[in-house]
mmCIF file of all heavy atoms in Angstrom:
data_model
loop_
_atom_site.group_PDB
_atom_site.id
_atom_site.type_symbol
_atom_site.label_atom_id
_atom_site.label_comp_id
_atom_site.label_asym_id
_atom_site.label_seq_id
_atom_site.Cartn_x
_atom_site.Cartn_y
_atom_site.Cartn_z
ATOM 1 N N ILE A 8 -4.546 -20.898 15.293
ATOM 2 C CA ILE A 8 -4.042 -20.382 16.584
ATOM 3 C C ILE A 8 -3.896 -21.532 17.585
ATOM 4 O O ILE A 8 -2.900 -21.623 18.301
ATOM 5 C CB ILE A 8 -4.970 -19.276 17.144
ATOM 6 C CG1 ILE A 8 -4.971 -18.069 16.194
ATOM 7 C CG2 ILE A 8 -4.533 -18.844 18.545
ATOM 8 C CD1 ILE A 8 -5.958 -16.967 16.526
ATOM 9 N N VAL A 11 -0.685 -23.404 17.096
ATOM 10 C CA VAL A 11 0.491 -22.692 17.636
ATOM 11 C C VAL A 11 0.577 -22.937 19.146
ATOM 12 O O VAL A 11 1.651 -23.256 19.676
ATOM 13 C CB VAL A 11 0.388 -21.169 17.335
ATOM 14 C CG1 VAL A 11 1.475 -20.401 18.084
ATOM 15 C CG2 VAL A 11 0.515 -20.912 15.832
ATOM 16 N N ILE A 12 -0.547 -22.775 19.831
ATOM 17 C CA ILE A 12 -0.556 -22.921 21.295
ATOM 18 C C ILE A 12 -0.249 -24.371 21.698
ATOM 19 O O ILE A 12 0.457 -24.641 22.671
ATOM 20 C CB ILE A 12 -1.919 -22.462 21.891
ATOM 21 C CG1 ILE A 12 -2.201 -20.997 21.515
ATOM 22 C CG2 ILE A 12 -1.942 -22.634 23.409
ATOM 23 C CD1 ILE A 12 -1.118 -20.003 21.886
ATOM 24 N N VAL A 15 3.378 -24.884 21.671
ATOM 25 C CA VAL A 15 3.980 -24.258 22.862
ATOM 26 C C VAL A 15 3.825 -25.208 24.067
ATOM 27 O O VAL A 15 4.778 -25.462 24.805
ATOM 28 C CB VAL A 15 3.314 -22.887 23.159
ATOM 29 C CG1 VAL A 15 3.714 -22.364 24.547
ATOM 30 C CG2 VAL A 15 3.682 -21.867 22.089
ATOM 31 N N LEU A 19 6.649 -27.239 26.387
ATOM 32 C CA LEU A 19 6.710 -27.119 27.851
ATOM 33 C C LEU A 19 6.628 -28.498 28.507
ATOM 34 O O LEU A 19 7.339 -28.777 29.474
ATOM 35 C CB LEU A 19 5.563 -26.228 28.354
ATOM 36 C CG LEU A 19 5.679 -24.733 28.008
ATOM 37 C CD1 LEU A 19 4.395 -23.995 28.350
ATOM 38 C CD2 LEU A 19 6.859 -24.089 28.753
ATOM 39 N N ALA A 24 12.206 -25.063 25.845
ATOM 40 C CA ALA A 24 11.722 -23.679 25.751
ATOM 41 C C ALA A 24 10.904 -23.523 24.468
ATOM 42 O O ALA A 24 11.389 -23.855 23.375
ATOM 43 C CB ALA A 24 12.901 -22.722 25.722
ATOM 44 N N PRO A 25 9.662 -23.053 24.573
ATOM 45 C CA PRO A 25 8.841 -22.880 23.366
ATOM 46 C C PRO A 25 9.422 -21.846 22.405
ATOM 47 O O PRO A 25 10.063 -20.882 22.831
ATOM 48 C CB PRO A 25 7.495 -22.392 23.913
ATOM 49 C CG PRO A 25 7.511 -22.695 25.367
ATOM 50 C CD PRO A 25 8.937 -22.677 25.784
ATOM 51 N N VAL A 26 9.178 -22.095 21.130
ATOM 52 C CA VAL A 26 9.725 -21.228 20.076
ATOM 53 C C VAL A 26 8.622 -20.964 19.047
ATOM 54 O O VAL A 26 7.856 -21.868 18.713
ATOM 55 C CB VAL A 26 10.903 -21.957 19.370
ATOM 56 C CG1 VAL A 26 11.331 -21.227 18.113
ATOM 57 C CG2 VAL A 26 12.083 -22.097 20.313
ATOM 58 N N LEU A 27 8.535 -19.722 18.564
ATOM 59 C CA LEU A 27 7.631 -19.418 17.436
ATOM 60 C C LEU A 27 8.501 -19.213 16.201
ATOM 61 O O LEU A 27 9.497 -18.479 16.256
ATOM 62 C CB LEU A 27 6.810 -18.150 17.714
ATOM 63 C CG LEU A 27 5.861 -18.198 18.917
ATOM 64 C CD1 LEU A 27 5.252 -16.831 19.172
ATOM 65 C CD2 LEU A 27 4.764 -19.236 18.723
ATOM 66 N N THR A 28 8.158 -19.864 15.113
ATOM 67 C CA THR A 28 8.966 -19.764 13.896
ATOM 68 C C THR A 28 8.183 -19.045 12.812
ATOM 69 O O THR A 28 7.036 -19.378 12.554
ATOM 70 C CB THR A 28 9.338 -21.184 13.381
ATOM 71 O OG1 THR A 28 9.936 -21.891 14.469
ATOM 72 C CG2 THR A 28 10.341 -21.109 12.245
ATOM 73 N N LEU A 29 8.811 -18.031 12.202
ATOM 74 C CA LEU A 29 8.116 -17.336 11.111
ATOM 75 C C LEU A 29 9.084 -16.927 10.013
ATOM 76 O O LEU A 29 10.298 -16.865 10.225
ATOM 77 C CB LEU A 29 7.343 -16.127 11.635
ATOM 78 C CG LEU A 29 8.091 -15.072 12.431
ATOM 79 C CD1 LEU A 29 7.695 -13.698 11.951
ATOM 80 C CD2 LEU A 29 7.737 -15.203 13.900
ATOM 81 N N GLN A 56 13.468 -17.340 14.409
ATOM 82 C CA GLN A 56 12.800 -17.906 15.573
ATOM 83 C C GLN A 56 12.627 -16.843 16.648
ATOM 84 O O GLN A 56 13.528 -16.046 16.906
ATOM 85 C CB GLN A 56 13.629 -19.062 16.133
ATOM 86 C CG GLN A 56 13.662 -20.267 15.217
ATOM 87 C CD GLN A 56 14.249 -21.478 15.927
ATOM 88 O OE1 GLN A 56 15.152 -21.349 16.746
ATOM 89 N NE2 GLN A 56 13.739 -22.663 15.611
ATOM 90 N N ILE A 57 11.432 -16.839 17.234
ATOM 91 C CA ILE A 57 11.197 -15.974 18.396
ATOM 92 C C ILE A 57 11.220 -16.919 19.590
ATOM 93 O O ILE A 57 10.294 -17.707 19.793
ATOM 94 C CB ILE A 57 9.816 -15.264 18.307
ATOM 95 C CG1 ILE A 57 9.572 -14.651 16.921
ATOM 96 C CG2 ILE A 57 9.660 -14.232 19.417
ATOM 97 C CD1 ILE A 57 10.454 -13.491 16.560
ATOM 98 N N ARG A 58 12.313 -16.863 20.330
ATOM 99 C CA ARG A 58 12.514 -17.842 21.416
ATOM 100 C C ARG A 58 12.021 -17.290 22.745
ATOM 101 O O ARG A 58 12.109 -16.091 23.009
ATOM 102 C CB ARG A 58 13.995 -18.205 21.534
ATOM 103 C CG ARG A 58 14.595 -18.794 20.256
ATOM 104 C CD ARG A 58 15.990 -19.359 20.515
ATOM 105 N NE ARG A 58 15.961 -20.423 21.514
ATOM 106 C CZ ARG A 58 15.709 -21.705 21.220
ATOM 107 N NH1 ARG A 58 15.490 -22.077 19.973
ATOM 108 N NH2 ARG A 58 15.692 -22.608 22.178
ATOM 109 N N SER A 59 11.518 -18.196 23.587
ATOM 110 C CA SER A 59 11.043 -17.752 24.911
ATOM 111 C C SER A 59 12.166 -17.784 25.953
ATOM 112 O O SER A 59 12.010 -17.258 27.046
ATOM 113 C CB SER A 59 9.899 -18.651 25.369
ATOM 114 O OG SER A 59 10.351 -19.991 25.421
ATOM 115 N N ASP A 60 13.307 -18.399 25.588
ATOM 116 C CA ASP A 60 14.392 -18.521 26.573
ATOM 117 C C ASP A 60 15.567 -17.590 26.268
ATOM 118 O O ASP A 60 16.646 -17.748 26.819
ATOM 119 C CB ASP A 60 14.886 -19.978 26.638
ATOM 120 C CG ASP A 60 15.423 -20.448 25.295
ATOM 121 O OD1 ASP A 60 15.205 -19.737 24.278
ATOM 122 O OD2 ASP A 60 16.051 -21.527 25.248
ATOM 123 N N CYS A 61 15.329 -16.627 25.391
ATOM 124 C CA CYS A 61 16.426 -15.729 25.029
ATOM 125 C C CYS A 61 16.002 -14.316 25.444
ATOM 126 O O CYS A 61 14.933 -13.850 25.041
ATOM 127 C CB CYS A 61 16.662 -15.839 23.522
ATOM 128 S SG CYS A 61 17.448 -14.405 22.812
ATOM 129 N N PRO A 62 16.808 -13.656 26.284
ATOM 130 C CA PRO A 62 16.401 -12.354 26.838
ATOM 131 C C PRO A 62 16.005 -11.336 25.757
ATOM 132 O O PRO A 62 15.142 -10.498 25.988
ATOM 133 C CB PRO A 62 17.648 -11.874 27.586
ATOM 134 C CG PRO A 62 18.473 -13.094 27.818
ATOM 135 C CD PRO A 62 18.145 -14.077 26.750
ATOM 136 N N ARG A 63 16.616 -11.453 24.573
ATOM 137 C CA ARG A 63 16.322 -10.458 23.532
ATOM 138 C C ARG A 63 14.946 -10.673 22.893
ATOM 139 O O ARG A 63 14.256 -9.731 22.541
ATOM 140 C CB ARG A 63 17.412 -10.465 22.461
ATOM 141 C CG ARG A 63 17.900 -9.056 22.174
ATOM 142 C CD ARG A 63 18.961 -8.932 21.135
ATOM 143 N NE ARG A 63 18.607 -9.640 19.902
ATOM 144 C CZ ARG A 63 19.477 -10.301 19.180
ATOM 145 N NH1 ARG A 63 20.709 -10.386 19.575
ATOM 146 N NH2 ARG A 63 19.119 -10.914 18.071
ATOM 147 N N SER A 64 14.565 -11.958 22.749
ATOM 148 C CA SER A 64 13.306 -12.209 22.031
ATOM 149 C C SER A 64 12.149 -12.624 22.946
ATOM 150 O O SER A 64 11.005 -12.679 22.505
ATOM 151 C CB SER A 64 13.520 -13.284 20.959
ATOM 152 O OG SER A 64 13.890 -14.503 21.556
ATOM 153 N N ALA A 65 12.425 -12.887 24.231
ATOM 154 C CA ALA A 65 11.349 -13.330 25.138
ATOM 155 C C ALA A 65 10.194 -12.324 25.235
ATOM 156 O O ALA A 65 9.028 -12.715 25.186
ATOM 157 C CB ALA A 65 11.915 -13.639 26.519
ATOM 158 N N PRO A 66 10.467 -10.998 25.335
ATOM 159 C CA PRO A 66 9.341 -10.052 25.408
ATOM 160 C C PRO A 66 8.460 -10.130 24.160
ATOM 161 O O PRO A 66 7.228 -10.097 24.267
ATOM 162 C CB PRO A 66 10.025 -8.685 25.507
ATOM 163 C CG PRO A 66 11.395 -8.961 26.030
ATOM 164 C CD PRO A 66 11.770 -10.310 25.506
ATOM 165 N N LYS A 67 9.094 -10.290 23.003
ATOM 166 C CA LYS A 67 8.303 -10.372 21.770
ATOM 167 C C LYS A 67 7.475 -11.661 21.758
ATOM 168 O O LYS A 67 6.324 -11.667 21.316
ATOM 169 C CB LYS A 67 9.214 -10.310 20.537
ATOM 170 C CG LYS A 67 8.414 -10.339 19.242
ATOM 171 C CD LYS A 67 9.215 -9.982 18.021
ATOM 172 C CE LYS A 67 8.302 -10.012 16.802
ATOM 173 N NZ LYS A 67 8.981 -9.638 15.572
ATOM 174 N N PHE A 68 8.070 -12.730 22.230
ATOM 175 C CA PHE A 68 7.364 -14.022 22.316
ATOM 176 C C PHE A 68 6.081 -13.843 23.154
ATOM 177 O O PHE A 68 4.994 -14.258 22.766
ATOM 178 C CB PHE A 68 8.290 -15.070 22.951
ATOM 179 C CG PHE A 68 7.664 -16.433 23.113
ATOM 180 C CD1 PHE A 68 7.774 -17.376 22.105
ATOM 181 C CD2 PHE A 68 6.952 -16.763 24.266
ATOM 182 C CE1 PHE A 68 7.180 -18.650 22.245
ATOM 183 C CE2 PHE A 68 6.359 -18.019 24.418
ATOM 184 C CZ PHE A 68 6.480 -18.957 23.398
ATOM 185 N N ALA A 69 6.237 -13.182 24.301
ATOM 186 C CA ALA A 69 5.093 -12.980 25.207
ATOM 187 C C ALA A 69 4.022 -12.106 24.538
ATOM 188 O O ALA A 69 2.828 -12.396 24.622
ATOM 189 C CB ALA A 69 5.576 -12.331 26.504
ATOM 190 N N LEU A 70 4.456 -11.037 23.863
ATOM 191 C CA LEU A 70 3.493 -10.132 23.216
ATOM 192 C C LEU A 70 2.754 -10.834 22.071
ATOM 193 O O LEU A 70 1.570 -10.590 21.844
ATOM 194 C CB LEU A 70 4.199 -8.879 22.691
ATOM 195 C CG LEU A 70 4.721 -7.905 23.760
ATOM 196 C CD1 LEU A 70 5.411 -6.707 23.106
ATOM 197 C CD2 LEU A 70 3.611 -7.417 24.674
ATOM 198 N N MET A 71 3.469 -11.714 21.362
ATOM 199 C CA MET A 71 2.805 -12.447 20.274
ATOM 200 C C MET A 71 1.698 -13.346 20.828
ATOM 201 O O MET A 71 0.601 -13.410 20.284
ATOM 202 C CB MET A 71 3.817 -13.259 19.459
ATOM 203 C CG MET A 71 4.609 -12.380 18.491
ATOM 204 S SD MET A 71 5.768 -13.299 17.442
ATOM 205 C CE MET A 71 4.681 -13.969 16.179
ATOM 206 N N LEU A 72 1.980 -14.014 21.962
ATOM 207 C CA LEU A 72 0.950 -14.855 22.573
ATOM 208 C C LEU A 72 -0.222 -14.007 23.066
ATOM 209 O O LEU A 72 -1.380 -14.384 22.932
ATOM 210 C CB LEU A 72 1.528 -15.666 23.738
ATOM 211 C CG LEU A 72 2.482 -16.810 23.382
ATOM 212 C CD1 LEU A 72 2.784 -17.657 24.614
ATOM 213 C CD2 LEU A 72 1.935 -17.712 22.285
ATOM 214 N N LYS A 73 0.107 -12.853 23.625
ATOM 215 C CA LYS A 73 -0.936 -11.949 24.134
ATOM 216 C C LYS A 73 -1.878 -11.542 22.980
ATOM 217 O O LYS A 73 -3.105 -11.619 23.114
ATOM 218 C CB LYS A 73 -0.261 -10.717 24.752
ATOM 219 C CG LYS A 73 -1.158 -9.522 24.999
ATOM 220 C CD LYS A 73 -1.972 -9.681 26.252
ATOM 221 C CE LYS A 73 -2.786 -8.428 26.539
ATOM 222 N NZ LYS A 73 -3.827 -8.663 27.544
ATOM 223 N N ILE A 74 -1.298 -11.120 21.858
ATOM 224 C CA ILE A 74 -2.129 -10.663 20.735
ATOM 225 C C ILE A 74 -2.857 -11.850 20.095
ATOM 226 O O ILE A 74 -4.003 -11.723 19.674
ATOM 227 C CB ILE A 74 -1.285 -9.854 19.719
ATOM 228 C CG1 ILE A 74 -0.866 -8.531 20.369
ATOM 229 C CG2 ILE A 74 -2.070 -9.576 18.430
ATOM 230 C CD1 ILE A 74 -0.020 -7.604 19.517
ATOM 231 N N LEU A 75 -2.218 -13.028 20.060
ATOM 232 C CA LEU A 75 -2.904 -14.227 19.555
ATOM 233 C C LEU A 75 -4.162 -14.513 20.380
ATOM 234 O O LEU A 75 -5.208 -14.864 19.847
ATOM 235 C CB LEU A 75 -1.969 -15.447 19.596
ATOM 236 C CG LEU A 75 -1.020 -15.621 18.404
ATOM 237 C CD1 LEU A 75 0.014 -16.697 18.711
ATOM 238 C CD2 LEU A 75 -1.774 -15.972 17.125
ATOM 239 N N SER A 76 -4.066 -14.333 21.700
ATOM 240 C CA SER A 76 -5.239 -14.616 22.547
ATOM 241 C C SER A 76 -6.340 -13.579 22.292
ATOM 242 O O SER A 76 -7.529 -13.905 22.315
ATOM 243 C CB SER A 76 -4.848 -14.653 24.031
ATOM 244 O OG SER A 76 -4.742 -13.342 24.548
ATOM 245 N N MET A 77 -5.930 -12.313 22.015
ATOM 246 C CA MET A 77 -6.927 -11.273 21.707
ATOM 247 C C MET A 77 -7.636 -11.586 20.380
ATOM 248 O O MET A 77 -8.855 -11.458 20.253
ATOM 249 C CB MET A 77 -6.249 -9.896 21.633
ATOM 250 C CG MET A 77 -5.729 -9.422 22.984
ATOM 251 S SD MET A 77 -4.695 -7.932 22.850
ATOM 252 C CE MET A 77 -5.937 -6.658 22.892
ATOM 253 N N ILE A 78 -6.846 -12.022 19.397
ATOM 254 C CA ILE A 78 -7.430 -12.373 18.086
ATOM 255 C C ILE A 78 -8.405 -13.543 18.260
ATOM 256 O O ILE A 78 -9.506 -13.536 17.714
ATOM 257 C CB ILE A 78 -6.314 -12.747 17.074
ATOM 258 C CG1 ILE A 78 -5.477 -11.518 16.730
ATOM 259 C CG2 ILE A 78 -6.901 -13.363 15.798
ATOM 260 C CD1 ILE A 78 -4.193 -11.815 15.966
ATOM 261 N N LYS A 80 -10.155 -14.436 20.829
ATOM 262 C CA LYS A 80 -11.421 -13.986 21.444
ATOM 263 C C LYS A 80 -12.288 -13.241 20.429
ATOM 264 O O LYS A 80 -13.505 -13.405 20.400
ATOM 265 C CB LYS A 80 -11.134 -13.076 22.639
ATOM 266 C CG LYS A 80 -10.732 -13.854 23.878
ATOM 267 C CD LYS A 80 -10.592 -12.917 25.088
ATOM 268 C CE LYS A 80 -9.913 -13.630 26.242
ATOM 269 N NZ LYS A 80 -8.741 -12.920 26.749
ATOM 270 N N ILE A 93 -6.001 -2.189 19.783
ATOM 271 C CA ILE A 93 -5.163 -3.198 20.445
ATOM 272 C C ILE A 93 -4.061 -2.512 21.249
ATOM 273 O O ILE A 93 -3.815 -2.837 22.411
ATOM 274 C CB ILE A 93 -4.595 -4.197 19.416
ATOM 275 C CG1 ILE A 93 -5.746 -5.079 18.908
ATOM 276 C CG2 ILE A 93 -3.477 -5.046 20.016
ATOM 277 C CD1 ILE A 93 -5.360 -6.071 17.844
ATOM 278 N N SER A 96 -5.381 -0.893 24.371
ATOM 279 C CA SER A 96 -5.901 -1.799 25.404
ATOM 280 C C SER A 96 -4.860 -1.988 26.514
ATOM 281 O O SER A 96 -5.194 -2.340 27.637
ATOM 282 C CB SER A 96 -6.266 -3.154 24.804
ATOM 283 O OG SER A 96 -5.089 -3.849 24.427
ATOM 284 N N ASP A 97 -3.571 -1.731 26.191
ATOM 285 C CA ASP A 97 -2.513 -1.827 27.214
ATOM 286 C C ASP A 97 -1.248 -1.130 26.717
ATOM 287 O O ASP A 97 -0.283 -1.773 26.305
ATOM 288 C CB ASP A 97 -2.221 -3.307 27.530
ATOM 289 C CG ASP A 97 -1.505 -3.474 28.864
ATOM 290 O OD1 ASP A 97 -0.823 -2.515 29.291
ATOM 291 O OD2 ASP A 97 -1.632 -4.548 29.475
ATOM 292 N N LEU A 99 1.071 0.462 28.233
ATOM 293 C CA LEU A 99 2.296 0.201 29.008
ATOM 294 C C LEU A 99 2.946 -1.098 28.572
ATOM 295 O O LEU A 99 4.171 -1.197 28.454
ATOM 296 C CB LEU A 99 1.985 0.140 30.510
ATOM 297 C CG LEU A 99 1.865 1.498 31.216
ATOM 298 C CD1 LEU A 99 1.451 1.303 32.668
ATOM 299 C CD2 LEU A 99 3.186 2.268 31.130
ATOM 300 N N LEU A 100 2.119 -2.100 28.345
ATOM 301 C CA LEU A 100 2.638 -3.410 27.943
ATOM 302 C C LEU A 100 3.278 -3.333 26.553
ATOM 303 O O LEU A 100 4.390 -3.827 26.343
ATOM 304 C CB LEU A 100 1.512 -4.446 27.941
ATOM 305 C CG LEU A 100 1.905 -5.845 27.462
ATOM 306 C CD1 LEU A 100 2.811 -6.517 28.483
ATOM 307 C CD2 LEU A 100 0.674 -6.706 27.229
ATOM 308 N N PHE A 101 2.572 -2.717 25.602
ATOM 309 C CA PHE A 101 3.050 -2.740 24.209
ATOM 310 C C PHE A 101 4.142 -1.699 23.939
ATOM 311 O O PHE A 101 4.983 -1.897 23.071
ATOM 312 C CB PHE A 101 1.877 -2.527 23.236
ATOM 313 C CG PHE A 101 0.899 -3.670 23.235
ATOM 314 C CD1 PHE A 101 -0.434 -3.476 23.579
ATOM 315 C CD2 PHE A 101 1.315 -4.945 22.892
ATOM 316 C CE1 PHE A 101 -1.332 -4.536 23.580
ATOM 317 C CE2 PHE A 101 0.423 -6.017 22.890
ATOM 318 C CZ PHE A 101 -0.904 -5.805 23.239
ATOM 319 N N GLY A 102 4.100 -0.589 24.661
ATOM 320 C CA GLY A 102 5.178 0.404 24.499
ATOM 321 C C GLY A 102 4.977 1.358 23.348
ATOM 322 O O GLY A 102 5.166 2.548 23.489
ATOM 323 N N VAL A 106 5.227 -1.403 17.536
ATOM 324 C CA VAL A 106 5.451 -2.764 18.063
ATOM 325 C C VAL A 106 4.229 -3.635 17.757
ATOM 326 O O VAL A 106 4.339 -4.758 17.259
ATOM 327 C CB VAL A 106 5.708 -2.720 19.597
ATOM 328 C CG1 VAL A 106 5.625 -4.115 20.208
ATOM 329 C CG2 VAL A 106 7.077 -2.112 19.879
ATOM 330 N N VAL A 107 3.039 -3.070 18.008
ATOM 331 C CA VAL A 107 1.789 -3.801 17.739
ATOM 332 C C VAL A 107 1.649 -4.100 16.248
ATOM 333 O O VAL A 107 1.360 -5.236 15.847
ATOM 334 C CB VAL A 107 0.564 -2.981 18.239
ATOM 335 C CG1 VAL A 107 -0.743 -3.628 17.806
ATOM 336 C CG2 VAL A 107 0.615 -2.854 19.762
ATOM 337 N N ILE A 110 4.001 -6.885 15.136
ATOM 338 C CA ILE A 110 3.620 -8.213 15.641
ATOM 339 C C ILE A 110 2.412 -8.755 14.872
ATOM 340 O O ILE A 110 2.346 -9.933 14.531
ATOM 341 C CB ILE A 110 3.358 -8.170 17.164
ATOM 342 C CG1 ILE A 110 4.711 -8.060 17.885
ATOM 343 C CG2 ILE A 110 2.596 -9.405 17.642
ATOM 344 C CD1 ILE A 110 4.628 -7.963 19.374
ATOM 345 N N ILE A 111 1.465 -7.859 14.558
ATOM 346 C CA ILE A 111 0.271 -8.301 13.823
ATOM 347 C C ILE A 111 0.668 -8.815 12.440
ATOM 348 O O ILE A 111 0.185 -9.853 11.988
ATOM 349 C CB ILE A 111 -0.765 -7.155 13.734
ATOM 350 C CG1 ILE A 111 -1.394 -6.954 15.118
ATOM 351 C CG2 ILE A 111 -1.838 -7.455 12.691
ATOM 352 C CD1 ILE A 111 -2.173 -5.666 15.278
ATOM 353 N N ASP A 113 3.602 -10.041 11.671
ATOM 354 C CA ASP A 113 4.308 -11.311 11.905
ATOM 355 C C ASP A 113 3.327 -12.466 12.124
ATOM 356 O O ASP A 113 3.516 -13.561 11.607
ATOM 357 C CB ASP A 113 5.246 -11.190 13.119
ATOM 358 C CG ASP A 113 6.587 -10.547 12.750
ATOM 359 O OD1 ASP A 113 6.906 -10.527 11.540
ATOM 360 O OD2 ASP A 113 7.302 -10.070 13.648
ATOM 361 N N ILE A 114 2.279 -12.201 12.894
ATOM 362 C CA ILE A 114 1.273 -13.243 13.163
ATOM 363 C C ILE A 114 0.560 -13.640 11.874
ATOM 364 O O ILE A 114 0.382 -14.823 11.572
ATOM 365 C CB ILE A 114 0.265 -12.767 14.240
ATOM 366 C CG1 ILE A 114 0.935 -12.756 15.616
ATOM 367 C CG2 ILE A 114 -0.989 -13.642 14.255
ATOM 368 C CD1 ILE A 114 0.092 -12.162 16.736
ATOM 369 N N MET A 117 2.934 -15.712 9.926
ATOM 370 C CA MET A 117 3.177 -17.019 10.558
ATOM 371 C C MET A 117 1.986 -17.965 10.339
ATOM 372 O O MET A 117 2.163 -19.140 10.009
ATOM 373 C CB MET A 117 3.422 -16.824 12.065
ATOM 374 C CG MET A 117 3.560 -18.093 12.863
ATOM 375 S SD MET A 117 3.969 -17.788 14.604
ATOM 376 C CE MET A 117 2.379 -17.296 15.271
#
Side-chain angles (χ1 to χ4, degrees):
I8 296 173
V11 171
I12 302 305
V15 168
L19 290 171
V26 169
L27 298 173
T28 307
L29 55 135
Q56 291 192 325
I57 313 292
R58 301 190 60 86
S59 58
D60 60 348
C61 156
R63 229 180 50 218
S64 63
K67 182 167 181 178
F68 179 90
L70 290 180
M71 282 183 79
L72 289 189
K73 165 80 176 166
I74 292 180
L75 276 169
S76 80
M77 292 171 86
I78 292 169
K80 282 186 192 126
I93 289 177
S96 70
D97 199 334
L99 279 176
L100 177 70
F101 293 120
V106 167
V107 172
I110 286 178
I111 288 166
D113 277 342
I114 287 174
M117 175 176 78

